[in-house]
Amino acid sequence: MEDLKLTINLLPKGAWNNDFSKTLSKKDWEKLRQFALKRANGTCEICGFETNDLDVHEEWNFDVKKKTQTLKYIKAICSRCHGVKHFKNSVRLGFGEEAERHFLKVNNASEMQFATHLNKALIEYEEKNKVFRWKIIADLEEFGGSGIELKQNNIPLIKNPYENVDWSKLSYNDTKNMFEIKRNDNIIGSPKIVYIEVDNYQGIIQVKSLFADKIEWYLDEIKVKTKYHTAGLFITKLNIKDLNGNQLKFKLIGTGGETISKVFEILPQEVL
C-alpha cells in the first residue's frame, strides 16, 4: 500500500531520549512547538480533525549503516493520529484497537493492509534496534528553529562483566568467584545479588539485591554516587549519561558485610 496519509513509525530504543522535547531547553522546544501549532491552526496536519488540543510530533528517517537519524518533519497532530504513530505504546496502554480503527479510517484501508503495514513497521523496528546510539541530523530553521543549537546525547556504552549470567541458577560458590565478598560476624551474611541488568540503549545499570543498607558507585576508584535503603528487596539504577571515566564498579554494604562487583568498562558512545 503506497502513499498512506497516516503511517506507523516505531521509534527504535536507542532514540527514545533523542527527541527535541528532551534534548533541547524548554524555551527552544517551545519555539518549535508553537511554530507547528501556529501553522496547523487547530487542524490535525494528518487527518484534518479540528481541535485546540493538538500534539506536536517529530518524525525521523533512520540510516542503520550510518547510524544517523535525520529529522523529516515536525507536525501538529491529533491524539488519535499520534496513537497510530506510536502504535506499540498504544497497545501497551490498551488503545491498540482504537488506533487500528483510526488507521483504517484515515487511510481508507482494509484490515489486511493494516496488518501488512504493521508487520513491515515491526521488522524495521527490530532492524533499527541493532544500533545503540544515533547521531542526530536536523535543519531546524525550516521548522521555526533558527539559531537553535543541536545537542547530541552523550551516553557511553557499558561493557557488562555479567553479560551471560543466569541469576536464577547462581550458587554461593559462583557468587564468590564473581564478586569480592567481605563478611562480618553476622548470621545474615553479606548482601546477596538477585540480578544485574544493563540497558545499553539508555545507558542504565540496574542492580537488585537483598540484605543491603546502601550501594556506593565508584568511577575510576572515586565514589560518584551513594543510595540508601531500609529493608527488603533493594532495586537501584545508575544512569551513566555524561559520565566521564573508564572503569565503574559498585559496593553493596549491609550489616552482614560487603559485596563488591567486577568492573563495568565505560566505552565512548557508538556514533560517527
Side-chain angles (χ1 to χ4, degrees), residues 2-15:
E2 298 179 356
D3 300 324
L4 293 173
K5 289 180 64 178
L6 177 59
T7 57
I8 297 170
N9 302 99
L10 304 176
L11 199 65
K13 295 177 183 179

Side-chain angles (χ1 to χ4, degrees), residues 1 4-6 46-49 78 80-81 84 97-111 113-114:
M1 190 173 186
L4 293 173
K5 289 180 64 178
L6 177 59
I46 293 179
C47 73
F49 179 70
C78 68
R80 289 177 296 180
C81 284
V84 174
E97 292 184 3
E98 181 181 331
E100 179 180 347
R101 286 195 297 269
H102 190 63
F103 176 96
L104 298 178
K105 179 181 178 181
V106 173
N107 292 309
N108 191 27
S110 67
E111 291 185 358
Q113 289 169 324
F114 168 79

Side-chain angles (χ1 to χ4, degrees), residues 72-83:
K72 185 177 178 182
Y73 61 67
I74 301 176
K75 284 186 176 180
I77 61 178
C78 68
S79 60
R80 289 177 296 180
C81 284
H82 213 178

